[in-house]
Amino acid sequence: MSGNIAPVINALSVDVEEWFQVGAFEATIDRADWDDLESRVADNTARVLDLFAAAGVTATFFTLGWVAARQPRLIRRIVDEGHELASHGWDHQRVFTMDADNFRADLSRAKAALEQAGGVAVTGYRAPSFSIDAGTPWAHRVLADEGYAYSSSVAPLRHDHYGWRDSPRYAWRPVDGSALVELPVTVAEVAGRRMATGGGFFRMLPAALTDFALRQVNRAAQPGVFYFHPWEVDPGQPRVGHAPLRSRVRHYARLGAMAGKLDGLIRRHEWGRVDHVVERLAA
């Protein structure tokens, strides 16, 4: 009988941003200089799209409005190939640096650019650097008021840049009276400790940790949520030599290994778009 049980579908997601828009460089590269820097997001995301097509999977692309306004052809390709287009905010400003009014304005500006470029409704959101936490109790209410179906903006652990350790580990409804779902990124639990698995953690640590985390949550009949960035498959990107050493290590380590690790991970598990995973949970 157990062989007839359908496998749990995990949520595959990509946070679409330029190499210079990351949290590691936010204190090093001035936002006013962004348009003067080399754009690599279209080529990097195209590599990701090709990888997904070869593996026969669809995913959610949480995309900055700033990128959508400058790369409309890329946005149309994402949509045309069957992936979900969702919001990553306008320009990677962390939610806990804003108040509710500024957050609402950021959401509105990003959504307008994404929907104009993609020609589809945007109903999903991921905060830059998972920056919805215990200190932003108003953020989920704003998302609900703005008509979003789900958020995937919480990292349920402690980290030096982000995290909400006391958040539920699995999908939950953060706003009373609203159908809005928060689908936290997947963490592994080892000896009572929560360990991150996506993005740079997947790139730098053994892939077995992410496999373990996915199997762990799937055994609980819960979907995993995996994320990474297009710049992580680009070992040829420019180097920011004046950034702090810790930031450079986190950003540049094992970029050349990432594409192969991703291909293996995708082929070892079952994957789908985040919106489809949320719909299955609601059903």
Side-chain angles (χ1 to χ4, degrees):
M1 292 290 291
S2 60
N4 296 325
I5 297 175
V8 177
I9 305 300
N10 300 296
L12 181 60
S13 61
V14 187
D15 292 356
V16 182
E17 59 205 42
E18 290 277 10
W19 61 271
F20 49 78
Q21 294 174 314
V22 301
F25 299 148
E26 64 187 357
T28 306
I29 299 176
D30 195 313
R31 290 169 186 264
D33 296 332
W34 281 1
D35 276 317
D36 296 326
L37 298 173
E38 179 186 0
S39 175
R40 300 176 71 91
V41 69
D43 289 344
N44 293 340
T45 307
R47 289 186 64 193
V48 172
L49 287 164
D50 290 344
L51 187 153
F52 287 173
V57 298
T58 54
T60 292
F61 286 72
F62 292 102
T63 305
L64 293 179
W66 190 98
V67 170
R70 290 160 174 78
Q71 302 287 348
R73 292 179 60 186
L74 171 65
I75 304 307
R76 285 303 312 180
R77 180 179 172 188
I78 289 170
V79 172
D80 289 346
E81 294 190 8
H83 305 286
E84 181 193 10
L85 180 65
S87 175
H88 198 34
W90 173 253
D91 63 352
H92 215 263
Q93 184 175 354
R94 300 186 195 222
V95 175
F96 53 63
T97 68
M98 296 185 268
D99 60 20
D101 289 340
N102 288 332
F103 181 48
R104 193 183 305 273
D106 183 271
L107 288 174
S108 178
R109 188 179 184 189
K111 187 173 185 179
L114 290 162
E115 292 185 342
Q116 180 176 355
V120 292
V122 169
T123 61
Y125 174 77
R126 171 170 289 154
S129 300
F130 299 101
S131 52
I132 290 181
D133 58 19
T136 56
W138 43 264
H140 282 122
R141 169 56 69 184
V142 172
L143 287 166
D145 290 347
E146 294 299 308
Y148 284 84
Y150 74 87
S151 162
S152 182
S153 301
V154 171
L157 46 63
R158 289 191 182 95
H159 184 271
D160 59 344
H161 283 291
Y162 56 80
W164 187 351
R165 178 62 176 82
D166 296 327
S167 162
R169 188 181 177 196
Y170 303 131
W172 56 296
R173 287 203 166 103
V175 180
D176 290 341
S178 169
L180 177 77
V181 172
E182 173 61 46
L183 189 62
V185 67
T186 291
V187 296
E189 278 199 347
V190 181
R193 180 185 176 191
R194 292 182 176 182
M195 302 176 65
T197 60
F201 301 98
F202 174 74
R203 178 165 35 94
M204 292 186 283
L205 299 174
L209 176 63
T210 299
D211 289 326
F212 168 80
L214 290 168
R215 290 193 299 267
Q216 192 177 60
V217 300
N218 290 170
R219 282 196 298 269
Q222 295 289 335
V225 182
F226 179 78
Y227 77 98
F228 68 99
H229 312 85
W231 56 261
E232 292 187 276
V233 300
D234 180 15
Q237 65 187 269
R239 264 45 180 179
V240 183
H242 57 291
L245 177 60
R246 189 175 189 179
S247 296
R248 283 181 279 139
V249 170
R250 285 179 168 177
H251 188 83
Y252 296 121
R254 296 185 57 76
L255 293 175
M258 187 63 167
K261 290 183 74 173
L262 280 171
D263 186 63
L265 181 78
I266 289 168
R267 295 178 186 275
R268 289 192 298 272
H269 303 275
E270 299 292 328
W271 300 100
R273 297 165 31 150
V274 180
D275 59 341
H276 293 168
V277 169
V278 170
E279 288 168 6
R280 287 166 68 103
L281 286 169

